[in-house]
Amino acid sequence: MATIDDVAKAAGVSKSTVSNVFTKKRPISKGVSDKVLEVSKQLNYKPNYWARTLATKETRIIGLNMQAERIKFSQFHLSLVNGVLHECYGRGYQLLINTLSSDYKNDIQNQVSNPVDGEILMDPAVDDERIKKELSKERPCVVIGKPPKHLDQTLSYIDNDNVGIAYELTSHLLTLGHEKILFLNAAKHKTVALDRAQGFQTAFEDNGKRCPHELILNKTINNTSIEFGYDTAFRFLQERNRITAVIADTDKMALGVYQAASALNITIPKHLSVFAFSDDSVFESEFQPRLSSARLNAEQLGEGAARLLIEQIQENNKLVKRIVIPSEVCHRGSTSTKFLEG
Amino acid sequence: MATIDDVAKAAGVSKSTVSNVFTKKRPISKGVSDKVLEVSKQLNYKPNYWARTLATKETRIIGLNMQAERIKFSQFHLSLVNGVLHECYGRGYQLLINTLSSDYKNDIQNQVSNPVDGEILMDPAVDDERIKKELSKERPCVVIGKPPKHLDQTLSYIDNDNVGIAYELTSHLLTLGHEKILFLNAAKHKTVALDRAQGFQTAFEDNGKRCPHELILNKTINNTSIEFGYDTAFRFLQERNRITAVIADTDKMALGVYQAASALNITIPKHLSVFAFSDDSVFESEFQPRLSSARLNAEQLGEGAARLLIEQIQENNKLVKRIVIPSEVCHRGSTSTKFLEG
DNA sequence: TATTTTAATAAAACCGGTTTAAGATTGGTA
DNA sequence: TACCAATCTTAAACCGGTTTTATTAAAATA
């Protein structure tokens, strides 16, 4: 590729003149400018992205840091990406998706600063290493989900009202007569798990009932969501005084529950009601009957996060903002009133 | 952020020693190396990505260039991204998604070289500007879909057997007794449209029938897929000797067809059979009855493209490869034998 | 006409790394 | 002891832009 020096030489002007023709930071006379552009075209010259970045310290790229089970993203994550991209398009930013393993990143040879103007962090944990790292540099950062409590005042974030949703789902099930409700929650170290557990608990208390803490189970890292859903549901469905309803953290988890129910010849929703936190699901076809769920509006989460981040980058606006994305409960076929034996 | 000079000074060594500690390109004695690493940690130093890239000319980022209707990506595209990401993860690459408008990119101030080691191009057109640009730089490039004919020997690509799929769908409909089959094809300038039209035509000919060229319609740019599906189907369903089957380019288009049929009180599949080229659809819930389709396996397309590209980057392997991803026809509820009046 | 402004261009410094070529130390060998 | 090779370190050049400062020519002012 031709460099700025080649162009300068060929056009008989200095480097800085060529630079100014492209960046328009200083006026260049029409004659000279045209000449430079013509030569550039002939030599197929374009300013080198990284050289420019090194000098200006601006990449016009934002980063999205997300982790996935076995590196296959769920519909929730993909919808979210869609939202982020939509916002990027309108504002002239590109999106860098970073899914590199920490093994890779910890190798000394791969230790480098991040090549972005700012980053979106997903699925924050109670004591999140990534957030600490982000804060130690002074690069803009937006969280999707709720940051650890002590950073609530420090970081902008966008989230669903997870306490509220869990409350609503639980209340609804209680109204339908269910009491033995299994809550398959997110992993313990994720902040979202805390919020949802609280909504679950408060719903019981507000209905004058004891919250069955022993029925709140957190996903473990060793299993996939489907496995965790299957194994746990299977176990609790075999008990004598068995559960009559399940709230699952994701649709994949709910799929495991469906499979467990099927294996035990338990009919949904007649003998078991199932709710999930979910976006529209890709494997909807595998849910028979269709899954009732709280729609989390991932796309809006993504759009909002991108908007927040880019504003922060451009306006150098350190104002901390919090946004709550509404979510609707969709009653489909997997929930019904508690079945009364006999 | 601390720079390499800061670290060198603080550790009492030269720049190049610090550099070699991180890059491991030359041996540095344990004592010195430890000292440098310790100082780096204290100063929170990491090599600057852009500066390193400028010197090494390697970014370890691959690009994905895709366009979407109103910048909302379909399930097909998102699944594809999933595949690309999966492959990136294993190979230590990050993914840069570029959806910038050509307006933006054509602005002189935004004219820059691409900051990636190689690029994946989607949805090639018969006379594709992007491909020309890619080839004029000598950066590795892989196409998803079929490149223009004259570049068939020049570019690696990965594609479905679109001729074959179209043939199969059409033959199946012919077997069911349909003859007036509306083919809602991709936009005329896309190479995929040519392949599918050919499969459609050959199926008719092999069955000893004339191919109804007047029933092949290409999507126009002015409309969204849903609108195009709706408008066109609506028009053809009102004719006297009306169509009895439709093959749609995407599931969104098929959704438009469903809506047109519904508006005209035409029952699917009794009075109208519908097939689509599709991945699993997000709005499956909106299809009643469920949509029969050819599954294009977008995820595999994405994985394969990324693998191909990264191999090309790393091995500097100029060997042109062509990969065909198989696709299966999924018979669901939207197709049936032609309804005989009376 | 002499003096100041203004506009356009150029020269040089800089961004923060890597790489090349040269230099210093050490240990081993003749 | 002198010489060589091996090992480690460094100074300087380089990657390809932007930005600051300097210079020149033309226009405006006194």
Side-chain angles (χ1 to χ4, degrees):
Chain A
M1 281 283 282
T3 70
I4 197 172
D5 287 306
D6 300 334
V7 174
K9 196 178 293 172
V13 298
S14 74
K15 273 175 81 167
S16 43
T17 299
V18 177
S19 177
N20 282 316
V21 167
F22 279 92
T23 61
K24 293 188 178 164
K25 301 225 165 143
R26 296 204 164 184
I28 300 292
S29 64
K30 180 111 180 31
V32 174
S33 179
D34 285 351
K35 172 81 183 168
V36 168
L37 288 176
E38 192 199 314
V39 170
S40 297
K41 189 165 238 172
Q42 272 172 28
L43 298 181
N44 194 20
Y45 167 76
K46 281 191 180 183
N48 180 297
Y49 202 107
W50 300 108
R52 172 177 282 187
T53 293
L54 182 57
T56 62
K57 309 199 167 321
E58 190 202 35
T59 65
R60 291 199 80 85
I61 296 176
I62 65 173
L64 177 60
N65 183 309
M66 56 183 188
Q67 294 149 336
E69 208 164 72
R70 305 204 174 154
I71 334 296
K72 295 280 180 177
F73 293 91
S74 66
Q75 185 54 36
F76 176 81
H77 284 169
L78 293 176
S79 290
L80 195 140
V81 168
N82 214 354
V84 173
L85 282 175
H86 188 248
E87 199 63 28
C88 281
Y89 174 82
R91 297 173 182 252
Y93 275 77
Q94 294 183 261
L95 176 65
L96 186 70
I97 301 187
N98 180 341
T99 55
L100 298 177
S101 68
S102 50
D103 277 1
Y104 180 90
K105 284 188 281 191
N106 286 337
D107 193 344
I108 293 181
Q109 292 160 75
N110 301 323
Q111 294 259 346
V112 271
S113 66
N114 230 349
V116 295
D117 289 342
E119 192 152 47
I120 298 173
L121 285 181
M122 289 191 57
D123 303 320
V126 174
D127 190 37
D128 203 304
E129 278 302 317
R130 297 171 302 164
I131 296 186
K132 282 187 201 158
K133 279 190 189 153
E134 279 306 317
L135 289 179
S136 70
K137 313 158 204 170
E138 57 284 350
R139 195 191 311 114
C141 171
V142 164
V143 173
I144 295 181
K146 186 170 282 184
K149 241 191 190 116
H150 63 284
L151 294 173
D152 195 83
Q153 305 298 319
T154 321
L155 276 169
S156 287
Y157 67 84
I158 184 164
D159 196 9
N160 298 111
D161 172 18
N162 279 296
V163 179
I165 304 172
Y167 184 93
E168 198 176 336
L169 296 183
T170 311
S171 299
H172 184 75
L173 289 173
L174 288 171
T175 309
L176 294 176
H178 299 280
E179 296 205 357
K180 297 215 66 165
I181 304 171
L182 178 64
F183 184 20
L184 300 175
N185 203 353
K188 202 162 200 162
H189 62 285
K190 297 293 181 186
T191 57
V192 67
L194 300 181
D195 277 3
R196 290 182 180 168
Q198 201 204 309
F200 184 73
Q201 176 173 349
T202 311
F204 272 92
E205 291 168 357
D206 284 3
N207 279 270
K209 303 204 166 93
R210 188 191 67 87
C211 169
H213 290 283
E214 69 283 4
L215 292 181
I216 303 181
L217 278 98
N218 291 94
K219 178 175 177 300
T220 45
I221 319 177
N222 312 330
N223 292 314
T224 64
S225 292
I226 295 187
E227 287 165 8
F228 174 72
Y230 183 90
D231 294 347
T232 316
F234 196 90
R235 201 169 81 232
F236 279 89
L237 283 171
Q238 282 181 311
E239 290 185 358
R240 205 154 27 98
N241 182 16
R242 76 179 182 211
I243 55 170
T244 62
V246 178
I247 299 176
D249 177 54
T250 63
D251 38 31
K252 287 200 181 176
M253 227 177 247
L255 191 58
V257 174
Y258 268 57
Q259 291 169 355
S262 167
L264 293 169
N265 263 318
I266 291 173
T267 317
I268 299 171
K270 191 175 180 192
H271 296 108
L272 183 69
S273 288
V274 182
F275 254 139
F277 293 85
S278 165
D279 212 59
D280 293 308
S281 170
V282 216
F283 14 66
E284 200 170 286
S285 52
E286 303 179 44
F287 288 101
Q288 196 50 251
R290 291 177 55 209
L291 180 65
S292 298
S293 67
R295 180 194 297 246
L296 300 178
N297 292 313
E299 200 165 315
Q300 287 183 45
L301 285 171
E303 275 186 20
R307 192 172 337 114
L308 225 50
L309 181 61
I310 294 174
E311 277 171 11
Q312 224 172 89
I313 292 168
Q314 293 186 332
E315 300 162 20
N316 216 346
N317 184 351
K318 296 290 179 213
L319 205 66
V320 174
K321 288 190 186 170
R322 284 177 283 277
I323 297 183
V324 175
I325 297 293
S327 59
E328 312 87 44
V329 177
C330 301
H331 298 280
R332 299 198 181 95
S334 66
T335 39
S336 74
T337 52
K338 187 186 167 194
F339 178 73
L340 299 170
E341 317 272 345
Chain B
M1 279 282 282
T3 72
I4 196 170
D5 286 305
D6 300 334
V7 174
K9 194 178 292 172
V13 298
S14 75
K15 273 174 81 166
S16 41
T17 299
V18 177
S19 177
N20 281 316
V21 167
F22 279 92
T23 62
K24 291 189 180 165
K25 301 230 164 137
R26 302 206 159 184
I28 299 292
S29 61
K30 179 114 179 27
V32 174
S33 179
D34 285 350
K35 173 79 185 170
V36 168
L37 288 176
E38 191 198 314
V39 170
S40 297
K41 189 164 238 173
Q42 271 172 26
L43 298 181
N44 193 22
Y45 168 75
K46 282 192 179 183
N48 180 298
Y49 202 108
W50 316 303
R52 172 177 283 186
T53 293
L54 181 57
T56 62
K57 308 198 168 321
E58 191 201 35
T59 65
R60 290 199 82 83
I61 296 176
I62 64 173
L64 177 60
N65 184 310
M66 55 183 189
Q67 294 149 336
E69 206 163 71
R70 306 205 172 153
I71 336 295
K72 293 282 179 173
F73 293 92
S74 67
Q75 186 55 35
F76 176 83
H77 285 189
L78 292 176
S79 290
L80 196 140
V81 168
N82 214 352
V84 173
L85 281 175
H86 189 247
E87 200 63 29
C88 282
Y89 174 83
R91 296 170 182 255
Y93 276 77
Q94 294 182 260
L95 176 65
L96 185 69
I97 301 186
N98 180 341
T99 54
L100 298 178
S101 67
S102 50
D103 276 1
Y104 180 90
K105 284 188 280 190
N106 286 338
D107 193 343
I108 293 182
Q109 293 160 76
N110 301 321
Q111 292 260 344
V112 271
S113 66
N114 229 350
V116 295
D117 290 342
E119 191 152 48
I120 297 174
L121 284 182
M122 291 193 55
D123 304 320
V126 175
D127 188 39
D128 203 306
E129 278 302 318
R130 296 170 304 163
I131 297 187
K132 283 186 200 159
K133 280 192 189 151
E134 279 307 316
L135 290 178
S136 70
K137 312 158 204 172
E138 57 284 353
R139 194 192 310 117
C141 171
V142 164
V143 174
I144 296 182
K146 187 170 281 185
K149 236 182 196 128
H150 62 283
L151 294 173
D152 194 84
Q153 306 297 318
T154 321
L155 274 170
S156 288
Y157 67 84
I158 184 164
D159 197 7
N160 299 111
D161 172 18
N162 279 297
V163 180
I165 304 171
Y167 184 93
E168 198 176 336
L169 296 183
T170 311
S171 299
H172 184 75
L173 289 174
L174 289 170
T175 308
L176 293 178
H178 298 280
E179 295 206 0
K180 297 215 63 159
I181 305 171
L182 177 65
F183 185 20
L184 300 176
N185 204 354
K188 203 160 201 163
H189 62 284
K190 298 292 180 187
T191 58
V192 68
L194 300 181
D195 277 3
R196 291 182 180 168
Q198 200 203 306
F200 183 74
Q201 175 174 350
T202 311
F204 272 92
E205 290 167 359
D206 285 3
N207 279 270
K209 303 209 166 88
R210 187 193 69 86
C211 169
H213 290 284
E214 69 283 3
L215 291 181
I216 303 181
L217 278 99
N218 292 94
K219 178 177 177 300
T220 44
I221 319 174
N222 311 331
N223 292 316
T224 65
S225 292
I226 295 187
E227 287 165 7
F228 174 72
Y230 182 90
D231 293 347
T232 317
F234 196 90
R235 201 169 79 233
F236 280 88
L237 283 171
Q238 282 182 310
E239 290 186 357
R240 210 158 19 103
N241 183 15
R242 73 178 184 213
I243 56 170
T244 63
V246 178
I247 300 177
D249 178 54
T250 63
D251 38 30
K252 286 200 182 178
M253 229 177 247
L255 192 58
V257 175
Y258 268 56
Q259 290 169 354
S262 166
L264 292 168
N265 263 319
I266 290 172
T267 316
I268 299 172
K270 191 176 180 191
H271 296 109
L272 182 69
S273 286
V274 181
F275 255 138
F277 294 85
S278 164
D279 213 60
D280 294 307
S281 171
V282 215
F283 14 64
E284 200 170 286
S285 51
E286 304 180 41
F287 287 101
Q288 196 53 249
R290 289 178 56 211
L291 180 65
S292 298
S293 67
R295 181 195 296 247
L296 301 178
N297 290 312
E299 200 164 316
Q300 287 183 47
L301 285 171
E303 275 186 20
R307 195 174 333 113
L308 225 51
L309 181 61
I310 294 174
E311 277 171 10
Q312 225 171 89
I313 292 169
Q314 291 186 333
E315 301 162 20
N316 218 344
N317 184 350
K318 295 290 176 210
L319 206 66
V320 174
K321 288 191 185 169
R322 283 176 283 277
I323 298 182
V324 175
I325 296 295
S327 60
E328 310 89 43
V329 176
C330 300
H331 298 281
R332 300 199 181 96
S334 66
T335 40
S336 75
T337 52
K338 187 186 167 194
F339 178 72
L340 298 171
E341 315 275 345

